[in-house]
Amino acid sequence: MDFKTLATPAGGLAGVNADALLVVLAGGSAAAGLDAPLATAVEAAIKSGDFDAKAGATLYLHGLAGIKALRVVLAAAGDGSIKAIRKAVAAGLGAVKAGGSQHLAVAVVGAELTADHAAALVAAVAESLYVYRQTKPSAPAASRLQKISLVCAKDGAAALAEGLRLGEHLAAGTELARELANLPANHCTPRHLADTARRLGKEHGLKVEILERADCEKLGMGSFLAVAQGSAEAPKFIVARYQGAGKAEAPVVLVGKGITFDTGGISIKPSAEMDEMKFDMGGAASVLGTLRAVAGLKAKVNLVGIIPACENMPSSRAVKPGDVVTSLSGQTIEILNTDAEGRLILCDALSYAERLKPAVVVDIATLTGACVIALGHHRSGLFSGDDPLAAELLAAGEQALDPAWRMPLDEEYDEALKSNFADMGNVGPRAGGAITAAMFLKRFTAKLRWAHLDIAGTAWKSGAAKGATGRPVPLLTHFVLARAKRK
Ligand code: BES
Ligand code: MN
Ligand code: ZN
């Protein structure tokens, strides 16, 4: 898809030369700010009861007299906030994406456009045109849309073009994350994640290193390997480095949970909805997606993605409840529940992150069902003892429309991890399960500026719209870009 800005023609929107014109109407009176032929059409549609200015309302009009574009779609965007405009674009697109249009022009009336609006427009387009096809040959044909023009005044065009560029790379990163997470576990293996990292490396100049099982054994990643040992599929420990700033600059490190399938292991999960555990590498997917976006934008920042990737399977070799393993940090862990495997692979990755001397480390994981109970599917759970870092991540989430919510990490919660046979157990009681999981990770981050995002509720949708969301690539990308700009 090609995104461009387009200067408003002298004759107003009626003169826009495109196959379709999407008019997004923001704020108060719907027809205000429109020139004659369009204003007449909008007023008539309101009068006849076919359109109202409420957010989300759309109306498709074909072959309007005096308007160059054959198709006109009106979409109401309420208060004109970025969120409302994004919704309106998605709704309006629904009316033209399956038709014959190749070139769609989008005009926003009643709101001052910013680069963030432009980025949100691209996100809305990418999201509504996305179709999963990798293993579904019968998937619907791709939309014929090839070009989207954002109609604007000449003055602000450069800033909006920059917003479109940001949006395009963000969308590419988000789509990569969606594609990886949607891909079934028999296709999306640890090896596939490693191959994807290598391919990204070639395309975007990342240095990619893959540690094999033997390498991890030598390093002493007893916790990660304990999870991996139940599967015939080889584990991969992926380290992908993007260098956009000077060598001396400390990198931002993102650690993504890469369980390509979570059966629960010997503590096996019930079979209902177990298929959704192919999404348990959503954290890993978001790390690769963010690397894609940040490298594509050539941001002046150093960014390292670390992905411990393996399957969690029951077998005669699988780790058993009560087994005690030694983590890379030297701390021992009693694995009381083999289904609490995410924290077991992340703890070794967090210890590994120390050697990169990072500025900050953020781990991203579909870690706990308890987080879904706490926050539902709208906000990701954010855990950090570092107030400034937490504030940066929360702000990035708001800006990206990919919001998170801060959760507590009081030391009182640490009690739950006591074990008689090791330095800690890997689970506590059911209550506060998302916090206990974060407290477990915290024990491996004493030397780091660290935050943890539990994305169990936000990485994918269940039900009829089952599929990966690509979250939190937007949050993470905004976070990394804001750090790049800070200097
Ligand atoms: N991958 C799951 C978490 C999960 C479950 C995410 C359901 C989304 C939906 C994780 O590995 C897991 O199984 N966690 C257990 C932890 C428990 C055993 C302490 C859970 O949440 O039940
Ligand atoms: Mn599990
Ligand atoms: Zn899991």
Side-chain angles (χ1 to χ4, degrees):
M1 188 70 66
D2 191 17
F3 291 90
K4 291 261 157 56
T5 57
L6 175 70
T8 315
L13 293 179
V16 168
N17 191 8
D19 301 324
L21 173 64
L22 169 57
V23 184
V24 177
L25 298 159
S29 111
L34 284 174
D35 22 52
L38 271 170
T40 315
V42 172
E43 273 158 13
I46 292 174
K47 207 164 166 203
S48 62
D50 293 299
F51 183 69
D52 67 32
K54 260 208 328 257
T58 56
L59 182 68
Y60 179 87
L61 301 162
H62 202 84
L64 279 182
I67 292 172
K68 209 162 191 177
L70 177 63
R71 310 163 186 86
V72 172
V73 183
L74 307 176
D79 60 3
S81 65
I82 293 178
K83 197 167 166 178
I85 286 179
R86 181 172 171 163
K87 258 195 185 153
V89 168
L93 218 68
V96 285
K97 69 179 179 189
S101 303
Q102 293 184 350
H103 177 198
L104 170 72
V106 181
V108 178
V109 181
E112 189 80 39
L113 282 184
T114 64
D116 283 343
H117 285 95
L121 163 83
V122 181
V125 171
E127 179 164 356
S128 52
L129 294 188
Y130 174 79
V131 180
Y132 174 80
R133 341 179 152 271
Q134 295 180 88
T135 52
K136 186 172 175 180
S138 62
S143 168
R144 281 151 83 171
L145 282 172
Q146 275 169 16
K147 183 174 171 188
I148 312 264
S149 299
L150 178 57
V151 183
C152 62
K154 267 216 181 91
D155 296 356
L160 295 186
E162 194 49 34
L164 292 177
R165 188 175 90 95
L166 166 64
E168 286 186 272
H169 288 285
L170 238 170
T174 306
E175 177 161 328
L176 173 64
R178 286 179 90 172
E179 285 281 82
L180 282 171
N182 281 333
L183 195 63
N186 62 326
H187 296 264
C188 187
T189 56
R191 175 186 303 275
H192 180 77
L193 288 179
D195 289 346
T196 304
R198 280 199 198 93
R199 177 174 60 75
L200 260 188
K202 284 214 182 85
E203 287 171 4
H204 296 278
L206 314 180
K207 274 193 204 129
V208 178
E209 188 186 354
I210 311 290
L211 306 187
E212 305 293 336
R213 194 194 305 264
D215 304 315
C216 297
E217 272 163 10
K218 258 186 229 142
L219 286 169
M221 295 187 181
S223 188
F224 170 48
L225 291 171
V227 177
Q229 77 190 35
S231 173
E233 207 66 64
K236 305 280 173 185
F237 190 94
I238 304 165
V239 183
R241 294 175 164 85
Y242 164 72
Q243 198 193 321
K247 269 222 171 79
E249 192 175 304
V252 173
V253 174
L254 302 178
V255 176
K257 173 177 173 183
I259 294 290
T260 57
F261 197 81
D262 182 11
T263 63
I266 296 299
S267 315
I268 199 161
K269 288 180 179 296
S271 28
E273 281 146 38
M274 204 208 271
D275 64 289
E276 296 190 1
M277 283 300 117
K278 73 171 181 178
F279 295 121
D280 211 18
M281 35 56 73
S286 75
V287 169
L288 292 173
T290 302
L291 277 164
R292 161 68 188 83
V294 170
L297 285 160
K298 302 195 168 52
K300 293 191 171 64
V301 64
N302 293 334
L303 177 64
V304 183
I306 300 182
I307 296 171
C310 67
E311 284 185 339
N312 186 23
M313 297 290 280
S315 78
S316 68
R317 289 187 213 228
V319 73
K320 302 169 294 297
D323 285 1
V324 173
V325 298
T326 304
S327 67
L328 178 57
S329 73
Q331 299 176 91
T332 59
I333 304 163
E334 184 185 13
I335 301 181
L336 289 163
N337 188 321
T338 66
D339 197 12
E341 85 297 341
R343 62 199 78 181
L344 295 174
I345 71 170
L346 290 171
C347 69
D348 280 349
L350 288 168
S351 299
Y352 185 89
E354 274 179 24
R355 57 189 75 195
L356 302 171
K357 305 210 170 19
V360 291
V361 178
V362 182
D363 78 73
I364 308 97
T366 49
L367 203 62
T368 64
C371 191
V372 189
I373 302 301
L375 292 174
H377 301 285
H378 181 52
R379 287 183 183 263
S380 304
L382 167 66
F383 300 79
S384 180
D386 185 317
D387 291 342
L389 177 58
E392 279 179 51
L393 288 159
L394 288 174
E398 297 303 319
Q399 209 200 351
L401 301 182
D402 181 7
W405 194 258
R406 190 152 177 204
M407 302 279 280
L409 277 179
D410 304 86
E411 63 181 39
E412 281 79 355
Y413 291 107
D414 191 70
E415 192 76 17
L417 294 169
K418 282 204 167 132
S419 159
N420 290 347
F421 304 105
D423 294 332
M424 71 197 88
N426 75 329
V427 290
R430 256 165 67 89
I435 307 168
T436 319
M439 290 306 291
F440 178 95
L441 297 177
K442 186 170 176 245
R443 286 179 173 233
F444 299 84
T445 61
K447 295 182 186 144
L448 302 170
R449 285 194 69 194
W450 161 78
H452 156 60
L453 283 166
D454 193 330
I455 58 165
T458 53
W460 76 89
K461 291 181 180 156
S462 305
K466 190 189 286 184
T469 60
R471 292 178 65 183
V473 171
L475 180 159
L476 293 170
T477 303
H478 273 88
F479 166 71
V480 175
L481 293 181
R483 288 201 140 244
K485 278 191 202 128
R486 238 164 46 159
K487 298 170 298 203

